[in-house]
Amino acid sequence: MAVFTPVSLEDVTQWITQFPLGRALELKGISSGIENSNFFLTTERGEYVLTIFENLSFDQLPFYLNLMRHLAERGILVPAPVANDRGELITALHGKPAAIVSKLDGRSQMDPQPVHCAAVGAMLARMHLAGQDYPLQQPNLRGLAWWHETTPKVLPYIPEDKAHLLKAEIHYQETFAACAHYRQLQVGPVHADLFRNNVMFDGARLTGFFDFYFAGCDTWLFDVAVTVNDWCIDLDTGVLDAARVRALLDAYHAVRPFTSAEQHAWQAMLRAGALRFWLSRLYDYYLPREAEMLTPHDPTHFERILRERIATPAPGLY
Ligand SMILES: Nc1ncnc2c1ncn2[C@@H]1O[C@H](COP(=O)(O)OP(=O)(O)O)[C@@H](O)[C@H]1O
Ligand SMILES: N[C@@H](CCOP(=O)(O)O)C(=O)O
């Protein structure tokens, strides 16, 4: 899987003349995507990734593509979008929105060690700082409002003990979002899905963050929690690995020091990060989109992480 919209080299030959990339030489479908149709595109100027967006519309895309451009211009390692001769980053191809971005070197590191976690922490902090003057606004579309809207949709499908946990956690998170510490947290553009499969490494060298299509404006700490909940855990149990947690948090803190409000909010935020993905996985599992072709991710993985974050005191942020 999954190229949903087939595209041939002939299809892009004329289309690409609007970009300053020279002639298209090679186009290869990428099988691992689950959301969009992605292709490695080689042109006379170099290697790129062509994405045809299957679900996001022309109206929704500018926030994400401009954010990537903003970050790339400030030295953050993310794919840089290529504008066409009218200055547009999003252009129709086969009637769907499409974009070309620079190709990152390397591959995903699915068995991260402290050295990888440190690189992720430092780049995440740099990314948060670089996003401070990003002018476009969009809330995290998978934030508290979405949790509220989605919980009643999944409740009828899940057994009583899970329903109880879900309702209790939503209530806890509402109270948390209204507290004084939460209101002091720094907010800005966040990636919001910085899992192992959305970062490239060449050996121990981080070569980039990608897949910004869940990005939005939210607390920086939420981004840290989502990242720690994936990079720094034992995948079988969800238990945090002390060495990887320390490496990621210390590297982040060295670039953008955590505040005392963030320290107070940390455990609740780790819970929020787990709840967000438990809920989206429950939703995708019980209410798959029409024509969904993929096996949904396992919701119990994040239920386990949530229970673990509730039960075990969080390691200090600094
Ligand atoms: N800018 C990029 N540079 C290098 N590889 C990329 C880039 N963007 C995507 N890829 C490759 O394409 C795959 C699918 O991309 P992804 O954004 O995860 O797709 P989807 O959103 O459809 O799930 C990634 O796992 C990665 O191998
Ligand atoms: N990371 C999320 C799902 C989003 O998928 P992605 O491949 O686009 O990152 C999860 O694991 O539930």
Side-chain angles (χ1 to χ4, degrees), residues 20 34 37 42 50 52 59 68 86 90 93 97 105 137 166 169 172 197 201 209 217 219-220 222 239 255 271 286 306:
I34 61 163
S37 298
T42 308
L50 163 65
I52 300 188
D59 291 345
M68 289 156 70
R86 293 182 298 283
I90 307 144
L93 180 59
D105 292 335
Q137 287 286 330
L166 182 54
E169 190 60 22
Y172 176 86
N197 64 334
F201 275 93
F209 292 172
C217 297
T219 62
W220 288 343
F222 177 75
V239 172
V255 177
R271 291 169 59 163
Y286 290 110
L306 175 59

Side-chain angles (χ1 to χ4, degrees), residues 55-286:
N55 298 303
L56 292 166
S57 67
F58 279 95
D59 291 345
Q60 293 169 310
L61 283 162
F63 178 85
Y64 309 109
L65 271 307
N66 283 294
L67 176 59
M68 289 156 70
R69 175 160 71 178
H70 179 98
L71 295 172
E73 284 171 356
R74 283 155 183 78
I76 307 304
L77 300 179
V78 301
V82 181
N84 69 8
D85 51 18
R86 293 182 298 283
E88 298 160 340
L89 302 181
I90 307 144
T91 313
L93 180 59
H94 288 331
K96 295 178 181 170
I100 297 176
V101 302
S102 58
K103 179 174 182 281
L104 303 171
D105 292 335
R107 58 186 181 80
S108 293
Q109 172 50 259
M110 302 309 282
D111 182 20
Q113 303 302 310
V115 66
H116 304 108
C117 295
V120 169
M123 185 65 69
L124 185 61
R126 287 181 53 204
M127 188 189 86
H128 289 161
L129 294 174
Q132 282 183 107
D133 60 343
Y134 182 59
L136 301 186
Q137 287 286 330
Q138 171 174 287
N140 171 7
L141 300 177
R142 291 281 182 276
L144 192 57
W146 185 84
W147 306 347
H148 260 299
E149 181 191 316
T150 306
T151 296
K153 295 180 186 167
V154 302
L155 281 176
Y157 297 97
I158 61 178
E160 184 48 40
D161 64 319
K162 292 177 197 277
H164 178 76
L165 174 65
L166 182 54
K167 285 186 282 189
E169 190 60 22
I170 292 282
H171 178 69
Y172 176 86
Q173 292 295 334
E174 277 168 355
T175 311
F176 168 51
C179 81
H181 290 308
Y182 187 93
R183 286 199 302 273
Q184 289 169 42
L185 302 179
Q186 287 180 276
V187 171
V190 298
H191 185 286
D193 185 29
L194 196 62
F195 284 39
R196 301 173 192 197
N197 64 334
N198 287 332
V199 179
M200 292 295 191
F201 275 93
D202 183 2
R205 184 174 64 91
L206 193 159
T207 55
F209 292 172
F210 65 104
D211 202 356
F212 276 76
Y213 304 108
F214 282 119
C217 297
D218 204 333
T219 62
W220 288 343
L221 194 64
F222 177 75
D223 222 9
V224 178
V226 167
T227 308
V228 164
N229 273 342
D230 186 66
W231 282 86
C232 307
I233 63 165
D234 174 75
L235 286 176
D236 292 333
T237 60
V239 172
L240 290 170
D241 175 79
R244 280 181 282 153
V245 172
R246 228 24 303 138
L248 194 151
L249 295 179
D250 288 353
Y252 184 102
H253 187 65
V255 177
R256 202 283 294 175
F258 291 113
T259 64
S260 77
E262 288 176 321
Q263 179 77 287
H264 280 102
W266 180 223
Q267 179 143 15
M269 201 60 92
L270 283 167
R271 291 169 59 163
L275 173 67
R276 180 265 182 252
F277 288 97
W278 184 33
L279 193 50
S280 63
R281 287 181 172 203
L282 284 171
Y283 183 75
D284 292 343
Y285 188 86
Y286 290 110

